[in-house]
Amino acid sequence: MSSRMSLTSWIGYGTERYTARVARRLRALNVTAWLSSIFVLGFAIYDATDLKLRTLAAVNVTAALFLASIPVWHRFGELVAPLAFVIGAYTGSFVVCAMIGTESGMPMQYLAVAAVMIIVLGPQRRVLIAVIGTAAITLIIALRVTVPPDTGLLSSEAMFANFVACMVGTCTILFGVILYAVNEVARAEAIADREFERAEALLGNILPAPIVKRLKDKGEPIIADAYDEASILFADLTGSTALAGAISAAALVEFLNTLFSTFDKLVDQHGLEKIKTTGDGYMVVSGVPLRRPDHAQALASLSLAMRSATATIFDPLGRTVRIRIGLACGPVMAGVIGTRKFSYDVWGDAVNVAARMEATGVPDAIHVSREMRARLGQSFSLEERGAVEVKGKGTMQTWFLLGPRA
């Protein structure tokens, strides 16, 4: 692991100050420069064995040292190192080719350098890439016109060996850099995919799936829908104020997370939509955003499951959890509100009635309105509570939901 880290640091030398996108391209330049330096240094060592090639060896040593220094140039700007590499590689190739001849294979390096620059500079610098490519073609033609195929500095065998080494080395470096760049892109895409999936999951936790799809596919600036009928549930934990004063904040949050996570699973199992939690309150809607004719029955079943689930959960003081649940149904409106920290919410008189049913209910009971009782029909057993004074509504006749009718 440490050797891999050191290799990564070595390849990324000088690119730390740049953004991930720019650094990725500059790392490809570092790989190219250092491989090219080793490649040219090999020629210098070979040339140094022959006294008459000492000048050529000195030129190659100078070129190798310059190429090895390319990563240092990153400190002066994003384009400094790439342009220094191009100028150095073009100049060195021209000098060496002028000394030994065009049959050495050196002109091919111009095309390789221009190809690497496409990776390093990126598609947004098309003009600069075109200039570098045009310069490569111009220099190849200039060498062809002004330099003989073989100047006689190398023997025919050495010239052929130089050509082969140049072809193999240049192609190896070019293919290696392209492979490195492709791997870097693949790695970046994998990271982007993971981040996209994470963002999608977070968005799915904030908004209902159909609403997310509408935002993504249609880009609707305002999402607001009217529903002729839907059912709303409010649940509230009794004794939460006293509990909060008796335990730590961390213990309270952990307890509420356990309780509401249990409720979340039940909501998913019943195919309904959780709207929000407010402190120790919990709100669910049925028939929104997906309309369903059995919205009341589905929400009633959920409320019974929630009440049963609380019997198996204990608060941090070891007491059985007790909740009040209120149900109501009727016309509602729903939509996305806000541009920052936005949320999906539901409005309407039925929402207010459901909240009042919860507030005027009793622990471990499911308090329902007249409209909800009528909508449930003969599917569930209910017990009449009688007249209840409801804030903002006056006196209302209400019922307690007991369970499904046998």
Side-chain angles (χ1 to χ4, degrees):
M1 183 69 175
S2 59
S3 61
R4 182 177 179 182
M5 289 297 294
S6 61
L7 178 61
T8 302
S9 301
W10 180 73
I11 293 175
Y13 183 85
T15 66
E16 300 85 357
R17 57 179 289 195
Y18 298 103
T19 63
R21 178 179 57 82
V22 174
R24 208 162 35 240
R25 293 172 180 162
L26 296 183
R27 286 197 296 268
L29 177 62
N30 286 356
V31 172
T32 306
W34 278 327
L35 289 178
S36 299
S37 177
I38 295 171
F39 176 57
V40 174
L41 188 60
F43 278 109
I45 294 172
Y46 174 79
D47 295 337
T49 60
D50 191 335
L51 291 178
K52 69 176 183 177
L53 300 179
R54 284 180 297 180
T55 303
L56 181 60
V59 171
N60 281 327
V61 168
T62 302
L65 292 175
F66 176 80
L67 292 170
S69 72
I70 288 297
V72 179
W73 295 69
H74 293 315
R75 69 178 64 180
F76 302 111
E78 179 183 338
L79 290 178
V80 175
L83 293 179
F85 176 79
V86 171
I87 294 171
Y90 280 12
T91 303
S93 298
F94 195 93
V95 172
V96 172
C97 196
M99 293 177 68
I100 61 179
T102 56
E103 286 187 356
S104 60
M106 295 298 293
M108 181 182 179
Q109 295 190 22
Y110 288 109
L111 297 179
V113 170
V116 169
M117 284 302 108
I118 296 175
I119 297 173
V120 173
L121 297 175
Q124 70 272 22
R125 292 196 171 92
R126 296 182 181 88
V127 175
L128 183 55
I129 291 172
V131 170
I132 293 172
T134 303
I137 296 172
T138 302
L139 289 170
I140 291 173
I141 295 173
L143 284 171
R144 181 68 178 176
V145 172
T146 61
V147 177
D150 187 351
T151 63
L153 184 62
L154 299 180
S155 65
S156 58
E157 293 81 6
M159 179 65 86
F160 179 73
N162 194 95
F163 174 81
V164 173
C166 205
M167 292 297 103
V168 173
T170 302
C171 291
T172 300
I173 292 173
L174 181 59
F175 295 158
V177 171
I178 292 175
L179 180 61
Y180 173 81
V182 170
N183 286 336
E184 284 284 283
V185 170
R187 189 165 67 89
E189 288 178 345
I191 294 173
D193 288 342
R194 287 196 297 271
E195 289 300 316
F196 177 78
E197 291 171 0
R198 182 171 176 270
E200 287 284 288
L202 289 173
L203 189 60
N205 286 332
I206 297 173
L207 301 175
I211 302 302
V212 173
K213 183 174 176 59
R214 286 170 61 181
L215 285 171
K216 289 168 56 180
D217 295 350
K218 301 179 182 178
E220 298 180 43
I222 298 177
I223 291 184
D225 302 302
Y227 296 83
D228 294 335
E229 276 210 3
S231 296
I232 299 91
L233 174 151
F234 278 94
D236 188 77
L237 181 66
T238 62
S240 59
T241 302
L243 179 64
I247 62 176
S248 67
L252 179 62
V253 170
E254 183 179 0
F255 163 64
L256 290 177
N257 183 62
T258 300
L259 178 64
F260 289 158
S261 294
T262 301
F263 290 169
D264 289 346
K265 292 178 182 177
L266 293 174
V267 171
D268 290 341
Q269 290 171 7
H270 286 77
L272 305 180
E273 194 66 48
K274 170 188 171 182
I275 296 300
K276 58 187 173 184
T277 58
T278 53
D280 58 354
Y282 194 85
M283 179 183 178
V284 182
V285 66
S286 177
V288 174
L290 297 179
R291 304 172 195 270
R292 53 187 299 174
D294 63 338
H295 57 85
Q297 288 77 8
L299 197 63
S301 297
L302 171 66
S303 66
L304 293 168
M306 290 172 62
R307 187 176 63 177
S308 298
T310 57
T312 64
I313 300 175
F314 298 89
D315 68 20
L317 299 180
R319 301 175 304 186
T320 303
V321 173
R322 305 187 72 187
I323 60 171
R324 295 191 308 269
I325 298 177
L327 303 181
C329 65
V332 298
M333 293 177 291
V336 177
I337 56 174
T339 55
R340 297 179 66 250
K341 296 184 179 179
F342 53 82
S343 64
Y344 184 76
D345 212 342
V346 181
W347 308 272
D349 187 61
V351 177
N352 297 329
V353 172
R356 298 290 185 265
M357 291 297 99
E358 177 273 310
T360 57
V362 296
D364 301 326
I366 303 170
H367 197 199
V368 305
S369 66
R370 177 187 298 274
E371 294 77 14
M372 191 69 177
R373 181 247 183 185
R375 196 70 176 76
L376 291 174
Q378 302 300 313
S379 304
F380 292 84
S381 296
L382 295 102
E383 177 184 276
E384 186 173 358
R385 183 185 186 184
V388 177
E389 190 65 26
V390 178
K391 181 180 179 181
K393 292 292 181 180
T395 303
M396 295 182 65
Q397 199 74 14
T398 62
W399 284 259
F400 288 127
L401 175 64
L402 302 180
R405 189 181 296 276

